[in-house]
Amino acid sequence: MNDRNTYSPDSIESAWQQRWEADGVYRSKVDWSKPKHYALTMLPYPSGDLHIGHWFAMTPSDARARFMRMRGYNVLFPMGFDAFGLPAENAAVQRGIHPAEWTYKNIERMRGQLRSMGAMFDWEREMVSCDPIYYKWTQWFFKLFYENGLAYRGEAMVNWSDALQTVLANEQVIDGKDERLGQPVIQKLMTQWFFKYTRYSDEMLDFDSIDWPEPVRIMQTNWIGRSEGAYVTFKTEAGDPLEVFTTRPDTLWGATFMVLAPEHPLVPKLTSDAQRAAVESYMADAARKTELERQADDGAKTGVFTGGYAINPVSGERIPVWIADYVLINYGTGGIMAVGAHDTRDFAFARAHGLPVRMVIQPENFPLLTDADLHEPILEAGRMVNSGAFDGTLSNGEKGRKNPAIAAVIDHLVALGVGKEAVNYRLRDWLISRQRYWGSPIPAVHRADGTIEMLPDGQLPVELPQDVKMGGVGNPLKNHAGFYHTTDSTGQPALRETDTMDTFMCSSWYHLRYLSPKYDGAPFDPEEAAYWLPVDTYTGGTEHATMHLLYTRWFNKALRDLGVFDRARQIAEAHGRDTAGVFDEPMRQLRNQGQILGGQRIGNFIVATGHIDNGKMFANRIEVVPALDDVPAGAYAGELMKRTENLLTLHGTDGQTYTVELVEGGEVIIPNIPGPNTVNQLKHHLEVERMSKSRGNVVNPDDLVREYGADTVRAYMMFAFDWSKGGPWDNQQIQGVVRWLNDVWDIAHTADLPEVGDPAAERQAERKLHQIIARITKSFELFSFNTAVAALMEGRNALKTPIREGKIGRAAFRELMSILLRLMAPVTPHIAEELWTTVLGMPYSVHQQDWPAYDEAKAAEDIVPLVIMVNGRVRGKVEVAAGISEADAIAEAMKDEWVVKSLNGGTPKKVIFIDGKEPKVNVVV
RNA sequence: GGGGGAGUGGCGGAAUUGGCAGACGCGCAUGACUUAGGAUCAUGUCUCUCACGAGGUAAGGGUUCAAGUCCCUUCUUCCCCA
């Protein structure tokens, strides 16, 4: 046995990787004679190490790109790095290393790890978003948008830390305090850069031309949040106009109060002297809350009466005006008319503050209730009541003008000059400013007279200065005199813009830079774009459904309208390609993979104290401790496995699982986070989480590759999970993949093949392999990678025994192996190449071969089982010739013992024949 | 609070349009390989039943010749967003 050639991945994998690279096997070049396929997978952030989640996302995408290539497409499958962002700055602060140095070191390391996957990435097309040759064009796009009215300056709330004199990202704020010093963070209005995201709202709601998953389309649709309705202008008692947007103008007569955002400009004027103290105190509280906290619905809505009143423009009724922080100033008009009887939130607010409600829509067969009798809002369709001349008008539950009541009221508002029909969007403009160092600078200067000037193209890129001090107080770019103080185009002193761009800006166009990463005449070479665009298949996680994927669609539409694709379009048309709609969307097909979750996190423990009831701990104190040394008697202690709402699951040192519920008002103590915490806070620190470096909960793919080889890890990633779902990591069944590849290796090395085999066995093996060609092809088309690998294993099963028994002859063996190895090539590229080229001596490279042709005749079965059912239950099976006729099948079934017995001499009520590869007869008695 | 998924053996998971539930694996059991076995091979492995058979896809109800798949109610759970 020792002299047998055993499969050892290390001895072949890196050698093949080097050879493929040297031979340029995966170089993708424009070739108008072939159909193209641009396969794109979301690029990684260079956090330091590739984790198993990257393998899970990328290796199936790679396998599919390889499959497309074997099917005759010219495939582009590039890779790069989304390299700007906060973690690099954090590393700089914590370790005193420059963000650029940290980032490039990580990139270097991750390139090596990515190569170890054996993916078909074309490395000559790599892009790095923090490289000046990349961000030069990010800046160029910014300028283009600015010059065409798509970029503007506006005000927005930021998290401001007085102690650090800087703006913080949401994730740097924990429970209202900054994560570095634990000092308070407040909300502050600042002037910042925006893109006119809402410009394409309606177009982005149209998904007809793209094949994207339904959940993503729904999420984007909700995110954009188009609502049809009307603007209605109320008046304050002082006569100031007070405009609100409503989707329900048909309920205008039921508006019994109004609610404004605390920041609304009319609030000071509306506020009565009696209410002034309460209003001002409420406004101060609101300023301390983040937008997220303000919107969080805790049931009891807070709010304060201003003491002022407004006049309802249709009824003339005088109604009170309140302020509440759930109404946001930068949303809609910053105020709402409240109809408690027909809106859930307004109803809750009215009941919480003792405000009146009035029913103005009466559903059919429903009583007309008074304020006191209304126990919940009425959301159904009905007829208008209590609405003057409009009583009886049908409100059919539709939105906008399709609703007769809404249409009638809008017409009335227009006639009175107090309102107009309007469409409102939940979507707000894209705030792209970041008050951070590690991002692309904005190529603008502020002149002394307050005007803004963009730098000429020749001066791009504005490079980030290298000699900055990170981690101090204030903005490093403002503190850098040489960067901050500059001159304008006329040589006058000016201040450079110190905001940098949101990294979503960088990732909105990276798929274009892959086309020609070194090209200097434009963001991309139009010759390349003409051939490759758009992206045909984009793969990545659902977490990007509403942010990145919507930004990149917006970006693409803006570029299209600004003529950036014009040259590419001309070139494509010159090659006879139909370009209708081609440049409207960046990615034609999108598919999402799920997430690989980590196992238990090691190193953090919890001690919970309280009372135990029925085995469950109701804790009034939960403490995070470094070790379980001194556990008080009666406490539950262990590692945190899981958290849902306020329920924790602990894994005790005794192996038991404990359930802990935090009681109302119970305290949570986490050493790193001072002050009172909630169970939610534990999430940041302990929970079973997404695998990512920052959470310190990592299965290292390098170790797996060292132990099993890249092919095994690739195949396992594809085999062990439903790709669209993901799941908790577990390497239990990797052994099955190891056995499979060992078997294939041994099969390929079979030494003593007979010259002539057993024809029946050969035919059976051929049939099976042709069946799996069809199944694997289908699986790849559907991104169903686990069934593809399962079918490949069946291929092994079909060959293993007959070959060992000497029933497969030399010629048949070669043919069968040629099919199996080509089918395996996308999944396990190294072993497939080794066996194909070196062991069997077929023409290099297996990756440049055609996908095996499916022959239906070869796949066909001669004999199939006929399933005989009585009343839908299987009662018998007989072997019949494939393609049996309905009459013959029924005749066969009628002979069946069960059928005869069940009929008991009578005739069947009904006989159903189901044709197909496996025919069935159902006899109903 | 809003939105989107998902519930199938001990485990991961299969199952176009409704058409033999449990493919392919893991694990486990028994046996073989003259010792051992984290190797390999063979057989078995949804549950109950000696068996004939019966039941079974979170729970309950419905449609159908036929339901994991369609409809209604309930429960559990994950993710995203605010």
Side-chain angles (χ1 to χ4, degrees), chain A residues 607 619-623 662-669 676-678:
Chain A
V607 175
N620 43 36
R621 184 185 152 98
I622 293 176
E623 185 171 6
L662 185 70
V663 301
E664 191 76 24
E667 60 177 338
V668 176
I669 296 159
N677 293 296
T678 65

Side-chain angles (χ1 to χ4, degrees), chain A residues 5 110 115 172 182 191 270 273-274 292 320 382 509 521 532 569 605 611 653 714 736 760 785 802 822-823 884:
Chain A
N5 188 345
M110 289 171 78
R115 282 191 153 90
Q172 293 174 301
T191 303
L270 275 162
D273 291 339
L292 199 144
W509 73 280
W532 293 110
R569 186 190 295 272
F605 300 95
H611 70 276
T653 43
R714 287 170 61 98
F785 301 104
R822 279 180 291 158
L823 292 173
I884 188 170

Side-chain angles (χ1 to χ4, degrees), chain A residues 545-566:
Chain A
T546 50
M547 310 280 275
H548 163 60
L549 288 171
L550 211 42
Y551 290 133
T552 194
R553 291 181 69 206
W554 179 90
F555 215 90
N556 188 83
K557 289 172 193 302
L559 300 198
R560 176 201 59 196
D561 288 351
L562 298 176
V564 177
F565 297 124
D566 288 357

Side-chain angles (χ1 to χ4, degrees), chain A residues 600-633:
Chain A
Q600 286 161 240
R601 180 179 165 121
I602 309 295
N604 278 299
F605 300 95
I606 297 215
V607 175
T609 44
H611 70 276
I612 297 166
D613 186 9
N614 209 359
K616 183 168 153 188
M617 160 79 68
F618 291 87
N620 43 36
R621 184 185 152 98
I622 293 176
E623 185 171 6
V624 175
V625 296
L628 293 175
D629 295 334
D630 299 306
V631 177

Side-chain angles (χ1 to χ4, degrees), chain A residues 236-248:
Chain A
T236 67
E237 280 191 308
D240 295 309
L242 182 47
E243 191 177 57
V244 297
F245 177 81
T246 176
T247 57
R248 295 295 304 275

Side-chain angles (χ1 to χ4, degrees), chain A residues 170-243:
Chain A
N170 286 336
E171 57 267 35
Q172 293 174 301
V173 182
I174 296 174
D175 208 18
K177 297 163 193 164
D178 77 79
E179 61 173 4
R180 264 170 68 196
L181 306 176
Q183 296 297 306
V185 173
I186 60 160
Q187 297 297 300
K188 186 173 155 179
L189 217 50
M190 269 179 74
T191 303
Q192 309 201 55
W193 289 97
F194 290 87
F195 285 166
K196 285 193 177 160
Y197 202 25
T198 47
R199 164 79 60 92
Y200 293 105
S201 297
D202 280 323
E203 208 190 323
M204 291 193 295
L205 285 168
D206 177 9
F207 297 93
D208 286 352
S209 64
I210 51 179
D211 169 18
W212 282 27
E214 182 73 14
V216 173
R217 301 205 308 254
I218 292 168
M219 281 190 257
Q220 292 201 346
T221 302
N222 292 337
W223 187 257
I224 293 168
R226 183 180 205 274
S227 47
E228 293 175 18
Y231 283 113
V232 184
T233 308
F234 287 63
K235 274 203 167 74
T236 67
E237 280 191 308
D240 295 309
L242 182 47
E243 191 177 57

Side-chain angles (χ1 to χ4, degrees), chain A residues 844-884:
Chain A
Y844 172 82
S845 156
V846 68
H847 303 299
Q848 288 165 323
Q849 305 303 317
D850 287 340
W851 188 245
Y854 170 62
D855 184 335
E856 203 173 340
K858 287 181 177 166
E861 300 281 355
D862 305 330
I863 305 288
V864 294
L866 173 71
V867 177
I868 298 163
M869 298 187 276
V870 176
N871 291 339
R873 302 288 309 185
V874 177
R875 292 307 182 190
K877 274 178 212 181
V878 280
E879 305 257 286
V880 298
I884 188 170

Side-chain angles (χ1 to χ4, degrees), chain A residues 6-26:
Chain A
T6 54
Y7 171 46
S8 96
D10 347 322
S11 63
I12 60 167
E13 290 184 347
S14 65
W16 281 118
Q17 285 163 16
Q18 283 164 31
R19 170 116 185 245
W20 293 328
E21 180 110 31
D23 294 345
V25 169
Y26 304 127

